[in-house]
Amino acid sequence: MDFVIVTSKLMILLECNNLVGNIEIDSKGNFSRTIQYGKRYWKEGIYSPITQNERHMEVLKECKSEEWNAVMGAMVRMSFSSFHKSLVVLANEKTYLNDRYAKKEVKEQVIRADQLIATIRRMNAESKLPKSTKKEMLGFGEKMLERDTGERKDYAARYEELIDLVEAEELEVTEKEEAAVDAKTVVAESVAGEQKVMTQIEEEPAMMNPTILEEVQMEIPATTGKIICPVCGGELVLRTARRGANTGKQFYGCSSFPRCRYILNIAENLEKSDTSHSKK
């Protein structure tokens, strides 16, 4: 049971539903709801909250009748509906209730949250039962609490736990986002640095000893046709300067760049090598 309201004349069992969508009740007491998804509408049948609360009423009636002998128990069952009433409250303020075709007894049991106080007053005014004293009302409430043997929940503590959980999840998401941004920054800086170094190499090829090309070529087996980097052992790749004073000139750069920045200026080395041989 969601709530039990003890008044001076009646005991009301309250079933609260926070239903989403527009609720419709037909002439047979069937419940359905229509939910909007963007520009589309989806209609589906739902379990009757009236039937659910009727089961609560039956459980309470049996509990009360068991407190007496067979004769008194039968009298309690007969008079139970006079003292106990069922109400279904639609707690979602945005929910629209269409009960145009519903039967009168169904309309009287299903109300919106803002109609609750007025409905309780009306039900009390219509009842012909004698009024109970405040002491008697307190006794009815205490008996109901005695029957509630389930573990009571500390909703305030649960709320605090949920807040901590949400904050922890938000912090974790923030840390991941910051780590991703930092990683992107590091990668961007690394790429920018490599591009800068590569630009400098292409613009200003290093001056090497004229005999290096010959010495390196002597170390390479004739079958491979590759030029090996004398610094790291990697393969030298033919490149062309695209910027600066040496634009268009070719040179060999190490394929392990940027780990190895060894380069070989082909044009100037060969030119100096040819000059040296002619002098000889």
Side-chain angles (χ1 to χ4, degrees), residues 120-150:
I120 293 175
R121 288 175 176 171
R122 177 183 57 79
M123 293 171 68
N124 262 337
E126 293 175 354
S127 176
K128 298 180 180 180
L129 297 172
K131 286 186 176 182
S132 301
T133 64
K134 289 185 178 180
K135 183 177 180 179
E136 290 173 333
M137 292 167 61
L138 181 61
F140 295 151
E142 289 176 346
K143 285 186 178 180
M144 289 293 298
L145 291 176
E146 289 176 0
R147 294 189 178 94
D148 184 14
T149 57

Side-chain angles (χ1 to χ4, degrees), residues 198-217:
M198 193 63 200
T199 300
Q200 292 174 349
I201 291 175
E202 291 177 347
E203 292 179 350
E204 301 178 4
M207 297 295 294
M208 305 301 296
N209 189 299
T211 61
I212 287 182
L213 181 60
E214 296 179 359
E215 293 177 356
V216 172
Q217 289 175 335

Side-chain angles (χ1 to χ4, degrees), residues 8-46:
S8 59
K9 291 185 176 182
L10 302 170
M11 186 175 291
I12 302 173
L13 273 67
L14 206 63
E15 175 69 20
C16 265
N17 285 81
N18 188 26
L19 296 174
V20 177
N22 297 332
I23 308 303
E24 183 179 349
I25 310 174
D26 63 17
S27 58
K28 296 182 180 180
N30 298 317
F31 282 70
S32 63
R33 68 174 173 179
T34 303
I35 304 175
Q36 183 177 0
Y37 294 99
K39 296 182 179 180
R40 296 186 177 183
Y41 291 87
W42 179 267
K43 188 174 183 179
E44 61 181 1
I46 59 175

Side-chain angles (χ1 to χ4, degrees), residues 220-237:
I220 303 172
T223 55
T224 63
K226 296 181 180 179
I227 302 178
I228 305 302
C229 175
V231 177
C232 69
E235 181 182 354
L236 295 183
V237 181

Side-chain angles (χ1 to χ4, degrees), residues 51-68:
T51 302
Q52 184 177 357
N53 214 28
E54 285 176 351
R55 294 182 178 180
H56 297 161
M57 295 279 284
E58 288 296 322
V59 170
L60 182 59
K61 180 168 63 176
E62 291 302 317
C63 288
K64 286 198 168 186
S65 62
E66 288 176 356
E67 296 176 354
W68 305 91

Side-chain angles (χ1 to χ4, degrees), residues 155-168:
Y155 289 100
R158 178 56 179 161
Y159 180 70
E160 295 293 337
E161 291 176 3
L162 289 175
I163 290 179
D164 294 340
L165 180 62
V166 170
E167 290 179 349

